[in-house]
Amino acid sequence: MSGTLLFILGPPAVGKMTVGAEIAARTGLRLFHNHLAIEPVLRFFPFGSPPFGRLVSRFRRDLIEEVAASDLPGLIFTFVWAYDLPEDEQAVRDFAEPFHRRGGRVRYVELKASQEVRLRRSAGESRLAEKPSRRDLDTARRQLVELDERYRLNSDGRFDDRADYLRIDNTRLEPAAVADQVITHFDLPLLNTPDQPHL
């Protein structure tokens, strides 16, 4: 039996990586935030180019496949899902497939926060440390606004009837409180040793 794949979904700077790190620290699930695939490829190909898309998608799929086949407890995967793009919905299905195929659990958490709060969070220390391509704050904030205008980056309740899907408005919530909700809602197993180190 495979472990758990926990998607954390939402628009840029909503807090996916930070919440994922909180959950990882308590559960032992490994955090695979989306920029772990993006940043290395940006050294060679521009964002949105065909080679960029192929390389990022291939790395994500391969890593998820390997974790699903391993004895690791599972994976937290952050992803910006444009809900109006059929190809994004298909990508989410494809990422989940290795866990489904092996009988693992797949769960979805969607975060939502106001644009004002996300623009503020875009300058967060941990975000900039992990995401060098977002350190030009003017450009990052302009892109955030443009993405909001161009795509539907929240589901607006489309999956509220599903037991495997949880929506949280974290505009005014601390990451630890969001992690508490997710762990409780999905009954994620906690580590036995609270101070055990994680990667």
Side-chain angles (χ1 to χ4, degrees):
M1 170 120 173
S2 187
T4 297
L5 174 61
L6 177 67
F7 283 94
I8 302 184
L9 308 162
V14 76
K16 298 181 296 295
M17 181 184 72
T18 308
V19 169
E22 285 277 348
I23 296 171
R26 301 186 206 178
T27 64
L29 298 175
R30 304 301 174 96
L31 175 60
F32 180 27
H33 67 76
N34 55 2
H35 273 255
L36 287 175
I38 289 172
E39 297 296 338
V41 179
L42 282 176
R43 292 172 178 256
F44 302 94
F45 299 104
F47 187 90
S49 66
F52 173 89
R54 286 193 297 268
L55 287 166
V56 169
S57 293
R58 193 177 307 146
F59 179 69
R60 288 170 170 167
R61 285 195 312 268
D62 287 352
L63 191 138
I64 291 170
E65 180 77 45
E66 292 294 341
V67 173
S70 76
D71 59 0
L72 291 170
L75 192 67
I76 300 164
F77 178 54
T78 74
F79 187 67
V80 177
W81 181 352
Y83 290 87
D84 44 349
L85 292 182
E87 56 265 39
D88 273 18
E89 185 164 356
Q90 185 60 53
V92 169
R93 284 199 200 100
D94 291 346
F95 293 140
E97 193 275 334
F99 279 82
H100 282 310
R101 180 169 14 107
R102 292 173 172 85
R105 292 201 313 165
V106 179
R107 301 292 183 263
Y108 305 83
V109 177
E110 178 189 342
L111 301 181
K112 177 181 180 178
S114 69
Q115 186 181 87
E116 178 187 1
V117 166
R118 292 190 292 114
L119 287 169
R120 208 162 52 236
R121 290 177 183 170
S122 67
E125 186 178 339
S126 63
R127 175 179 171 81
L128 299 182
E130 288 285 324
K131 304 174 180 182
S133 64
R134 294 293 176 256
R135 290 175 188 164
D136 179 342
L137 292 179
D138 289 340
T139 299
R141 286 168 173 155
R142 185 179 69 251
Q143 290 172 343
L144 185 154
V145 172
E146 288 172 354
L147 285 171
D148 282 359
E149 292 171 349
R150 188 172 180 185
Y151 300 111
R152 189 159 60 87
L153 301 178
N154 284 107
S155 69
D156 300 322
R158 174 178 162 192
F159 304 112
D160 282 1
D161 59 341
R162 283 175 34 175
D164 64 348
Y165 201 99
L166 174 65
R167 278 196 311 141
I168 299 174
D169 185 332
N170 67 324
T171 299
R172 296 178 178 84
L173 292 176
E174 291 297 320
V178 179
D180 287 341
Q181 285 190 40
V182 173
I183 290 167
T184 300
H185 185 84
F186 289 132
D187 194 25
L188 298 177
L190 297 173
L191 288 165
N192 293 329
T193 309
D195 58 353
Q196 181 175 339
H198 315 291
L199 297 178

mmCIF file of all heavy atoms in Angstrom, residues 29-76:
data_model
loop_
_atom_site.group_PDB
_atom_site.id
_atom_site.type_symbol
_atom_site.label_atom_id
_atom_site.label_comp_id
_atom_site.label_asym_id
_atom_site.label_seq_id
_atom_site.Cartn_x
_atom_site.Cartn_y
_atom_site.Cartn_z
ATOM 1 N N LEU A 29 5.343 13.483 6.132
ATOM 2 C CA LEU A 29 5.184 13.562 4.685
ATOM 3 C C LEU A 29 6.246 14.513 4.137
ATOM 4 O O LEU A 29 6.573 15.520 4.761
ATOM 5 C CB LEU A 29 3.792 14.087 4.316
ATOM 6 C CG LEU A 29 2.588 13.261 4.759
ATOM 7 C CD1 LEU A 29 1.292 13.992 4.413
ATOM 8 C CD2 LEU A 29 2.595 11.886 4.109
ATOM 9 N N ARG A 30 6.813 14.194 2.981
ATOM 10 C CA ARG A 30 7.854 15.043 2.399
ATOM 11 C C ARG A 30 7.217 16.168 1.591
ATOM 12 O O ARG A 30 6.250 15.934 0.863
ATOM 13 C CB ARG A 30 8.776 14.209 1.502
ATOM 14 C CG ARG A 30 9.420 13.022 2.209
ATOM 15 C CD ARG A 30 10.255 13.453 3.410
ATOM 16 N NE ARG A 30 10.741 12.314 4.145
ATOM 17 C CZ ARG A 30 11.938 11.774 3.991
ATOM 18 N NH1 ARG A 30 12.779 12.259 3.101
ATOM 19 N NH2 ARG A 30 12.294 10.739 4.729
ATOM 20 N N LEU A 31 7.777 17.359 1.714
ATOM 21 C CA LEU A 31 7.235 18.514 0.997
ATOM 22 C C LEU A 31 7.923 18.680 -0.348
ATOM 23 O O LEU A 31 9.147 18.807 -0.424
ATOM 24 C CB LEU A 31 7.426 19.782 1.839
ATOM 25 C CG LEU A 31 7.020 21.102 1.166
ATOM 26 C CD1 LEU A 31 5.542 21.100 0.781
ATOM 27 C CD2 LEU A 31 7.348 22.290 2.071
ATOM 28 N N PHE A 32 7.121 18.680 -1.399
ATOM 29 C CA PHE A 32 7.597 18.940 -2.758
ATOM 30 C C PHE A 32 6.855 20.182 -3.255
ATOM 31 O O PHE A 32 5.800 20.087 -3.867
ATOM 32 C CB PHE A 32 7.295 17.722 -3.636
ATOM 33 C CG PHE A 32 7.737 17.847 -5.077
ATOM 34 C CD1 PHE A 32 8.791 18.658 -5.442
ATOM 35 C CD2 PHE A 32 7.094 17.123 -6.073
ATOM 36 C CE1 PHE A 32 9.195 18.773 -6.766
ATOM 37 C CE2 PHE A 32 7.494 17.207 -7.397
ATOM 38 C CZ PHE A 32 8.539 18.035 -7.741
ATOM 39 N N HIS A 33 7.406 21.362 -2.932
ATOM 40 C CA HIS A 33 6.725 22.575 -3.409
ATOM 41 C C HIS A 33 7.083 22.801 -4.868
ATOM 42 O O HIS A 33 8.154 22.400 -5.346
ATOM 43 C CB HIS A 33 7.050 23.781 -2.512
ATOM 44 C CG HIS A 33 8.455 24.264 -2.548
ATOM 45 N ND1 HIS A 33 8.954 25.008 -3.599
ATOM 46 C CD2 HIS A 33 9.475 24.128 -1.661
ATOM 47 C CE1 HIS A 33 10.209 25.317 -3.360
ATOM 48 N NE2 HIS A 33 10.563 24.792 -2.188
ATOM 49 N N ASN A 34 6.176 23.468 -5.578
ATOM 50 C CA ASN A 34 6.284 23.491 -7.036
ATOM 51 C C ASN A 34 7.549 24.159 -7.558
ATOM 52 O O ASN A 34 8.025 23.824 -8.644
ATOM 53 C CB ASN A 34 5.027 24.120 -7.672
ATOM 54 C CG ASN A 34 4.717 25.506 -7.141
ATOM 55 O OD1 ASN A 34 5.443 26.048 -6.312
ATOM 56 N ND2 ASN A 34 3.630 26.079 -7.613
ATOM 57 N N HIS A 35 8.149 25.047 -6.778
ATOM 58 C CA HIS A 35 9.355 25.708 -7.280
ATOM 59 C C HIS A 35 10.605 24.828 -7.197
ATOM 60 O O HIS A 35 11.636 25.172 -7.774
ATOM 61 C CB HIS A 35 9.585 27.037 -6.559
ATOM 62 C CG HIS A 35 8.849 28.168 -7.211
ATOM 63 N ND1 HIS A 35 9.465 29.121 -7.988
ATOM 64 C CD2 HIS A 35 7.537 28.470 -7.222
ATOM 65 C CE1 HIS A 35 8.566 29.970 -8.446
ATOM 66 N NE2 HIS A 35 7.386 29.599 -7.984
ATOM 67 N N LEU A 36 10.530 23.702 -6.512
ATOM 68 C CA LEU A 36 11.668 22.774 -6.528
ATOM 69 C C LEU A 36 11.911 22.243 -7.935
ATOM 70 O O LEU A 36 13.046 21.914 -8.297
ATOM 71 C CB LEU A 36 11.423 21.602 -5.571
ATOM 72 C CG LEU A 36 11.518 21.929 -4.082
ATOM 73 C CD1 LEU A 36 11.137 20.712 -3.240
ATOM 74 C CD2 LEU A 36 12.926 22.406 -3.714
ATOM 75 N N ALA A 37 10.861 22.175 -8.735
ATOM 76 C CA ALA A 37 11.019 21.777 -10.135
ATOM 77 C C ALA A 37 11.260 22.988 -11.036
ATOM 78 O O ALA A 37 11.990 22.898 -12.028
ATOM 79 C CB ALA A 37 9.774 21.014 -10.613
ATOM 80 N N ILE A 38 10.669 24.116 -10.688
ATOM 81 C CA ILE A 38 10.724 25.298 -11.564
ATOM 82 C C ILE A 38 12.094 25.959 -11.576
ATOM 83 O O ILE A 38 12.643 26.276 -12.642
ATOM 84 C CB ILE A 38 9.639 26.313 -11.124
ATOM 85 C CG1 ILE A 38 8.254 25.770 -11.475
ATOM 86 C CG2 ILE A 38 9.881 27.679 -11.751
ATOM 87 C CD1 ILE A 38 7.115 26.602 -10.901
ATOM 88 N N GLU A 39 12.665 26.185 -10.399
ATOM 89 C CA GLU A 39 13.883 26.992 -10.312
ATOM 90 C C GLU A 39 15.061 26.421 -11.108
ATOM 91 O O GLU A 39 15.745 27.175 -11.813
ATOM 92 C CB GLU A 39 14.277 27.207 -8.852
ATOM 93 C CG GLU A 39 13.254 27.986 -8.034
ATOM 94 C CD GLU A 39 13.052 29.428 -8.503
ATOM 95 O OE1 GLU A 39 13.942 29.984 -9.167
ATOM 96 O OE2 GLU A 39 11.977 29.987 -8.201
ATOM 97 N N PRO A 40 15.355 25.107 -11.023
ATOM 98 C CA PRO A 40 16.496 24.603 -11.805
ATOM 99 C C PRO A 40 16.308 24.774 -13.312
ATOM 100 O O PRO A 40 17.264 25.088 -14.029
ATOM 101 C CB PRO A 40 16.564 23.118 -11.427
ATOM 102 C CG PRO A 40 15.845 23.005 -10.134
ATOM 103 C CD PRO A 40 14.773 24.051 -10.178
ATOM 104 N N VAL A 41 15.069 24.592 -13.780
ATOM 105 C CA VAL A 41 14.824 24.669 -15.223
ATOM 106 C C VAL A 41 14.937 26.104 -15.721
ATOM 107 O O VAL A 41 15.361 26.360 -16.858
ATOM 108 C CB VAL A 41 13.453 24.054 -15.560
ATOM 109 C CG1 VAL A 41 13.164 24.144 -17.055
ATOM 110 C CG2 VAL A 41 13.399 22.596 -15.117
ATOM 111 N N LEU A 42 14.582 27.068 -14.875
ATOM 112 C CA LEU A 42 14.672 28.477 -15.271
ATOM 113 C C LEU A 42 16.098 28.903 -15.589
ATOM 114 O O LEU A 42 16.312 29.908 -16.272
ATOM 115 C CB LEU A 42 14.104 29.381 -14.167
ATOM 116 C CG LEU A 42 12.586 29.475 -14.072
ATOM 117 C CD1 LEU A 42 12.190 30.334 -12.878
ATOM 118 C CD2 LEU A 42 11.976 30.032 -15.358
ATOM 119 N N ARG A 43 17.076 28.160 -15.108
ATOM 120 C CA ARG A 43 18.469 28.477 -15.435
ATOM 121 C C ARG A 43 18.763 28.242 -16.914
ATOM 122 O O ARG A 43 19.742 28.757 -17.445
ATOM 123 C CB ARG A 43 19.429 27.628 -14.598
ATOM 124 C CG ARG A 43 19.415 27.962 -13.114
ATOM 125 C CD ARG A 43 20.234 26.943 -12.340
ATOM 126 N NE ARG A 43 20.283 27.272 -10.922
ATOM 127 C CZ ARG A 43 21.327 27.806 -10.304
ATOM 128 N NH1 ARG A 43 22.420 28.063 -10.990
ATOM 129 N NH2 ARG A 43 21.288 28.072 -9.011
ATOM 130 N N PHE A 44 17.910 27.440 -17.555
ATOM 131 C CA PHE A 44 18.173 27.056 -18.940
ATOM 132 C C PHE A 44 17.110 27.536 -19.924
ATOM 133 O O PHE A 44 17.420 27.882 -21.056
ATOM 134 C CB PHE A 44 18.285 25.531 -19.036
ATOM 135 C CG PHE A 44 19.350 24.954 -18.155
ATOM 136 C CD1 PHE A 44 19.044 24.492 -16.880
ATOM 137 C CD2 PHE A 44 20.661 24.906 -18.581
ATOM 138 C CE1 PHE A 44 20.031 23.973 -16.055
ATOM 139 C CE2 PHE A 44 21.657 24.395 -17.767
ATOM 140 C CZ PHE A 44 21.339 23.931 -16.499
ATOM 141 N N PHE A 45 15.843 27.527 -19.514
ATOM 142 C CA PHE A 45 14.748 27.863 -20.432
ATOM 143 C C PHE A 45 13.775 28.824 -19.766
ATOM 144 O O PHE A 45 13.507 28.712 -18.575
ATOM 145 C CB PHE A 45 13.997 26.592 -20.857
ATOM 146 C CG PHE A 45 14.862 25.600 -21.584
ATOM 147 C CD1 PHE A 45 15.315 24.459 -20.942
ATOM 148 C CD2 PHE A 45 15.229 25.817 -22.908
ATOM 149 C CE1 PHE A 45 16.110 23.541 -21.602
ATOM 150 C CE2 PHE A 45 16.031 24.908 -23.569
ATOM 151 C CZ PHE A 45 16.474 23.767 -22.924
ATOM 152 N N PRO A 46 13.217 29.770 -20.516
ATOM 153 C CA PRO A 46 12.299 30.748 -19.930
ATOM 154 C C PRO A 46 10.970 30.114 -19.512
ATOM 155 O O PRO A 46 10.516 29.131 -20.119
ATOM 156 C CB PRO A 46 12.094 31.771 -21.054
ATOM 157 C CG PRO A 46 12.460 31.057 -22.310
ATOM 158 C CD PRO A 46 13.482 30.031 -21.950
ATOM 159 N N PHE A 47 10.366 30.709 -18.496
ATOM 160 C CA PHE A 47 9.079 30.246 -17.995
ATOM 161 C C PHE A 47 8.055 30.228 -19.124
ATOM 162 O O PHE A 47 7.940 31.177 -19.897
ATOM 163 C CB PHE A 47 8.597 31.192 -16.883
ATOM 164 C CG PHE A 47 7.364 30.711 -16.178
ATOM 165 C CD1 PHE A 47 7.449 29.909 -15.059
ATOM 166 C CD2 PHE A 47 6.109 31.055 -16.660
ATOM 167 C CE1 PHE A 47 6.312 29.459 -14.407
ATOM 168 C CE2 PHE A 47 4.963 30.623 -16.012
ATOM 169 C CZ PHE A 47 5.068 29.814 -14.888
ATOM 170 N N GLY A 48 7.331 29.134 -19.226
ATOM 171 C CA GLY A 48 6.282 29.029 -20.229
ATOM 172 C C GLY A 48 6.725 28.502 -21.576
ATOM 173 O O GLY A 48 5.878 28.195 -22.427
ATOM 174 N N SER A 49 8.039 28.375 -21.805
ATOM 175 C CA SER A 49 8.506 27.855 -23.088
ATOM 176 C C SER A 49 8.249 26.351 -23.142
ATOM 177 O O SER A 49 8.138 25.679 -22.104
ATOM 178 C CB SER A 49 9.994 28.140 -23.268
ATOM 179 O OG SER A 49 10.759 27.411 -22.314
ATOM 180 N N PRO A 50 8.139 25.771 -24.352
ATOM 181 C CA PRO A 50 7.888 24.321 -24.448
ATOM 182 C C PRO A 50 8.920 23.464 -23.709
ATOM 183 O O PRO A 50 8.526 22.541 -22.983
ATOM 184 C CB PRO A 50 7.883 24.060 -25.962
ATOM 185 C CG PRO A 50 7.416 25.362 -26.551
ATOM 186 C CD PRO A 50 8.036 26.423 -25.674
ATOM 187 N N PRO A 51 10.241 23.740 -23.833
ATOM 188 C CA PRO A 51 11.185 22.916 -23.069
ATOM 189 C C PRO A 51 10.988 23.052 -21.557
ATOM 190 O O PRO A 51 11.093 22.073 -20.817
ATOM 191 C CB PRO A 51 12.562 23.443 -23.491
ATOM 192 C CG PRO A 51 12.339 24.154 -24.768
ATOM 193 C CD PRO A 51 10.950 24.694 -24.710
ATOM 194 N N PHE A 52 10.689 24.272 -21.094
ATOM 195 C CA PHE A 52 10.418 24.486 -19.678
ATOM 196 C C PHE A 52 9.249 23.617 -19.223
ATOM 197 O O PHE A 52 9.342 22.894 -18.222
ATOM 198 C CB PHE A 52 10.103 25.963 -19.426
ATOM 199 C CG PHE A 52 9.657 26.255 -18.015
ATOM 200 C CD1 PHE A 52 10.584 26.556 -17.040
ATOM 201 C CD2 PHE A 52 8.313 26.217 -17.685
ATOM 202 C CE1 PHE A 52 10.167 26.824 -15.730
ATOM 203 C CE2 PHE A 52 7.887 26.485 -16.392
ATOM 204 C CZ PHE A 52 8.822 26.781 -15.410
ATOM 205 N N GLY A 53 8.156 23.667 -19.956
ATOM 206 C CA GLY A 53 6.970 22.889 -19.589
ATOM 207 C C GLY A 53 7.238 21.402 -19.552
ATOM 208 O O GLY A 53 6.812 20.707 -18.620
ATOM 209 N N ARG A 54 7.946 20.901 -20.562
ATOM 210 C CA ARG A 54 8.231 19.457 -20.623
ATOM 211 C C ARG A 54 9.103 19.018 -19.456
ATOM 212 O O ARG A 54 8.830 17.996 -18.805
ATOM 213 C CB ARG A 54 8.911 19.112 -21.952
ATOM 214 C CG ARG A 54 7.982 19.133 -23.145
ATOM 215 C CD ARG A 54 8.620 18.479 -24.361
ATOM 216 N NE ARG A 54 9.815 19.181 -24.808
ATOM 217 C CZ ARG A 54 9.802 20.160 -25.733
ATOM 218 N NH1 ARG A 54 8.664 20.554 -26.261
ATOM 219 N NH2 ARG A 54 10.930 20.750 -26.108
ATOM 220 N N LEU A 55 10.161 19.780 -19.182
ATOM 221 C CA LEU A 55 11.101 19.379 -18.129
ATOM 222 C C LEU A 55 10.466 19.439 -16.740
ATOM 223 O O LEU A 55 10.636 18.528 -15.926
ATOM 224 C CB LEU A 55 12.344 20.259 -18.183
ATOM 225 C CG LEU A 55 13.283 19.978 -19.352
ATOM 226 C CD1 LEU A 55 14.286 21.112 -19.518
ATOM 227 C CD2 LEU A 55 14.010 18.660 -19.163
ATOM 228 N N VAL A 56 9.733 20.513 -16.468
ATOM 229 C CA VAL A 56 9.098 20.644 -15.155
ATOM 230 C C VAL A 56 8.063 19.538 -14.950
ATOM 231 O O VAL A 56 8.029 18.883 -13.901
ATOM 232 C CB VAL A 56 8.457 22.045 -15.004
ATOM 233 C CG1 VAL A 56 7.560 22.104 -13.764
ATOM 234 C CG2 VAL A 56 9.536 23.113 -14.914
ATOM 235 N N SER A 57 7.238 19.301 -15.962
ATOM 236 C CA SER A 57 6.210 18.260 -15.842
ATOM 237 C C SER A 57 6.827 16.879 -15.672
ATOM 238 O O SER A 57 6.375 16.076 -14.848
ATOM 239 C CB SER A 57 5.301 18.260 -17.076
ATOM 240 O OG SER A 57 4.553 19.449 -17.125
ATOM 241 N N ARG A 58 7.887 16.611 -16.419
ATOM 242 C CA ARG A 58 8.521 15.299 -16.340
ATOM 243 C C ARG A 58 9.140 15.071 -14.962
ATOM 244 O O ARG A 58 8.992 13.997 -14.376
ATOM 245 C CB ARG A 58 9.594 15.194 -17.431
ATOM 246 C CG ARG A 58 10.122 13.771 -17.660
ATOM 247 C CD ARG A 58 11.119 13.768 -18.803
ATOM 248 N NE ARG A 58 10.567 14.374 -19.999
ATOM 249 C CZ ARG A 58 11.267 15.089 -20.881
ATOM 250 N NH1 ARG A 58 12.552 15.305 -20.695
ATOM 251 N NH2 ARG A 58 10.681 15.588 -21.949
ATOM 252 N N PHE A 59 9.813 16.094 -14.439
ATOM 253 C CA PHE A 59 10.422 15.946 -13.116
ATOM 254 C C PHE A 59 9.358 15.723 -12.050
ATOM 255 O O PHE A 59 9.506 14.869 -11.175
ATOM 256 C CB PHE A 59 11.269 17.176 -12.773
ATOM 257 C CG PHE A 59 11.907 17.090 -11.422
ATOM 258 C CD1 PHE A 59 12.918 16.183 -11.169
ATOM 259 C CD2 PHE A 59 11.480 17.909 -10.389
ATOM 260 C CE1 PHE A 59 13.505 16.087 -9.908
ATOM 261 C CE2 PHE A 59 12.063 17.835 -9.125
ATOM 262 C CZ PHE A 59 13.071 16.915 -8.886
ATOM 263 N N ARG A 60 8.288 16.495 -12.112
ATOM 264 C CA ARG A 60 7.205 16.326 -11.139
ATOM 265 C C ARG A 60 6.625 14.911 -11.209
ATOM 266 O O ARG A 60 6.455 14.253 -10.178
ATOM 267 C CB ARG A 60 6.096 17.355 -11.396
ATOM 268 C CG ARG A 60 6.472 18.767 -11.006
ATOM 269 C CD ARG A 60 5.439 19.746 -11.509
ATOM 270 N NE ARG A 60 5.645 21.087 -10.953
ATOM 271 C CZ ARG A 60 5.034 22.178 -11.408
ATOM 272 N NH1 ARG A 60 4.215 22.102 -12.431
ATOM 273 N NH2 ARG A 60 5.268 23.345 -10.836
ATOM 274 N N ARG A 61 6.301 14.466 -12.412
ATOM 275 C CA ARG A 61 5.708 13.131 -12.557
ATOM 276 C C ARG A 61 6.654 12.047 -12.063
ATOM 277 O O ARG A 61 6.248 11.114 -11.363
ATOM 278 C CB ARG A 61 5.337 12.874 -14.029
ATOM 279 C CG ARG A 61 4.108 13.612 -14.501
ATOM 280 C CD ARG A 61 3.595 13.042 -15.814
ATOM 281 N NE ARG A 61 4.644 12.880 -16.801
ATOM 282 C CZ ARG A 61 4.980 13.796 -17.700
ATOM 283 N NH1 ARG A 61 4.354 14.964 -17.725
ATOM 284 N NH2 ARG A 61 5.930 13.566 -18.584
ATOM 285 N N ASP A 62 7.925 12.154 -12.443
ATOM 286 C CA ASP A 62 8.892 11.123 -12.052
ATOM 287 C C ASP A 62 9.087 11.081 -10.542
ATOM 288 O O ASP A 62 9.152 10.003 -9.943
ATOM 289 C CB ASP A 62 10.240 11.364 -12.742
ATOM 290 C CG ASP A 62 10.220 11.020 -14.226
ATOM 291 O OD1 ASP A 62 9.202 10.459 -14.691
ATOM 292 O OD2 ASP A 62 11.208 11.328 -14.910
ATOM 293 N N LEU A 63 9.182 12.243 -9.914
ATOM 294 C CA LEU A 63 9.385 12.259 -8.473
ATOM 295 C C LEU A 63 8.170 11.691 -7.743
ATOM 296 O O LEU A 63 8.297 10.890 -6.817
ATOM 297 C CB LEU A 63 9.692 13.668 -7.982
ATOM 298 C CG LEU A 63 10.170 13.707 -6.522
ATOM 299 C CD1 LEU A 63 11.323 14.673 -6.353
ATOM 300 C CD2 LEU A 63 9.047 14.066 -5.571
ATOM 301 N N ILE A 64 6.968 12.083 -8.166
ATOM 302 C CA ILE A 64 5.753 11.558 -7.535
ATOM 303 C C ILE A 64 5.671 10.055 -7.728
ATOM 304 O O ILE A 64 5.317 9.309 -6.804
ATOM 305 C CB ILE A 64 4.511 12.278 -8.093
ATOM 306 C CG1 ILE A 64 4.509 13.743 -7.616
ATOM 307 C CG2 ILE A 64 3.229 11.580 -7.668
ATOM 308 C CD1 ILE A 64 3.471 14.616 -8.298
ATOM 309 N N GLU A 65 6.008 9.583 -8.910
ATOM 310 C CA GLU A 65 6.005 8.134 -9.178
ATOM 311 C C GLU A 65 6.956 7.396 -8.246
ATOM 312 O O GLU A 65 6.610 6.350 -7.675
ATOM 313 C CB GLU A 65 6.391 7.892 -10.634
ATOM 314 C CG GLU A 65 6.423 6.428 -11.045
ATOM 315 C CD GLU A 65 5.049 5.840 -11.268
ATOM 316 O OE1 GLU A 65 4.220 6.487 -11.922
ATOM 317 O OE2 GLU A 65 4.813 4.701 -10.787
ATOM 318 N N GLU A 66 8.146 7.935 -8.069
ATOM 319 C CA GLU A 66 9.136 7.265 -7.215
ATOM 320 C C GLU A 66 8.713 7.264 -5.747
ATOM 321 O O GLU A 66 8.907 6.274 -5.031
ATOM 322 C CB GLU A 66 10.505 7.937 -7.375
ATOM 323 C CG GLU A 66 11.146 7.732 -8.732
ATOM 324 C CD GLU A 66 11.524 6.283 -9.017
ATOM 325 O OE1 GLU A 66 11.636 5.484 -8.053
ATOM 326 O OE2 GLU A 66 11.702 5.949 -10.195
ATOM 327 N N VAL A 67 8.138 8.376 -5.278
ATOM 328 C CA VAL A 67 7.675 8.409 -3.885
ATOM 329 C C VAL A 67 6.532 7.430 -3.690
ATOM 330 O O VAL A 67 6.472 6.706 -2.687
ATOM 331 C CB VAL A 67 7.259 9.833 -3.471
ATOM 332 C CG1 VAL A 67 6.610 9.828 -2.091
ATOM 333 C CG2 VAL A 67 8.470 10.763 -3.474
ATOM 334 N N ALA A 68 5.612 7.373 -4.654
ATOM 335 C CA ALA A 68 4.482 6.440 -4.548
ATOM 336 C C ALA A 68 4.958 4.996 -4.478
ATOM 337 O O ALA A 68 4.340 4.162 -3.807
ATOM 338 C CB ALA A 68 3.536 6.629 -5.726
ATOM 339 N N ALA A 69 6.060 4.696 -5.155
ATOM 340 C CA ALA A 69 6.581 3.326 -5.192
ATOM 341 C C ALA A 69 7.492 3.007 -4.011
ATOM 342 O O ALA A 69 7.916 1.869 -3.838
ATOM 343 C CB ALA A 69 7.340 3.103 -6.497
ATOM 344 N N SER A 70 7.793 4.000 -3.192
ATOM 345 C CA SER A 70 8.761 3.823 -2.108
ATOM 346 C C SER A 70 8.056 3.480 -0.791
ATOM 347 O O SER A 70 6.829 3.401 -0.727
ATOM 348 C CB SER A 70 9.577 5.110 -1.929
ATOM 349 O OG SER A 70 8.799 6.096 -1.265
ATOM 350 N N ASP A 71 8.864 3.340 0.261
ATOM 351 C CA ASP A 71 8.297 3.108 1.583
ATOM 352 C C ASP A 71 8.166 4.406 2.381
ATOM 353 O O ASP A 71 7.933 4.382 3.592
ATOM 354 C CB ASP A 71 9.126 2.088 2.373
ATOM 355 C CG ASP A 71 10.576 2.535 2.552
ATOM 356 O OD1 ASP A 71 10.932 3.624 2.072
ATOM 357 O OD2 ASP A 71 11.345 1.776 3.171
ATOM 358 N N LEU A 72 8.322 5.553 1.720
ATOM 359 C CA LEU A 72 8.094 6.837 2.374
ATOM 360 C C LEU A 72 6.618 6.968 2.744
ATOM 361 O O LEU A 72 5.753 6.391 2.069
ATOM 362 C CB LEU A 72 8.497 7.987 1.455
ATOM 363 C CG LEU A 72 9.995 8.140 1.172
ATOM 364 C CD1 LEU A 72 10.223 9.170 0.058
ATOM 365 C CD2 LEU A 72 10.734 8.551 2.434
ATOM 366 N N PRO A 73 6.311 7.752 3.785
ATOM 367 C CA PRO A 73 4.904 7.880 4.189
ATOM 368 C C PRO A 73 4.056 8.653 3.190
ATOM 369 O O PRO A 73 2.826 8.549 3.214
ATOM 370 C CB PRO A 73 4.980 8.630 5.526
ATOM 371 C CG PRO A 73 6.292 9.345 5.502
ATOM 372 C CD PRO A 73 7.213 8.464 4.711
ATOM 373 N N GLY A 74 4.680 9.412 2.317
ATOM 374 C CA GLY A 74 3.919 10.129 1.304
ATOM 375 C C GLY A 74 4.504 11.480 0.993
ATOM 376 O O GLY A 74 5.642 11.793 1.365
ATOM 377 N N LEU A 75 3.702 12.307 0.314
ATOM 378 C CA LEU A 75 4.200 13.536 -0.286
ATOM 379 C C LEU A 75 3.157 14.626 -0.159
ATOM 380 O O LEU A 75 1.952 14.387 -0.301
ATOM 381 C CB LEU A 75 4.479 13.270 -1.773
ATOM 382 C CG LEU A 75 5.264 14.298 -2.563
ATOM 383 C CD1 LEU A 75 6.706 14.367 -2.068
ATOM 384 C CD2 LEU A 75 5.239 13.934 -4.045
ATOM 385 N N ILE A 76 3.643 15.839 0.098
ATOM 386 C CA ILE A 76 2.831 17.046 0.000
ATOM 387 C C ILE A 76 3.290 17.771 -1.256
ATOM 388 O O ILE A 76 4.466 18.097 -1.396
ATOM 389 C CB ILE A 76 3.027 17.957 1.228
ATOM 390 C CG1 ILE A 76 2.617 17.231 2.512
ATOM 391 C CG2 ILE A 76 2.241 19.255 1.071
ATOM 392 C CD1 ILE A 76 3.128 17.909 3.777
#
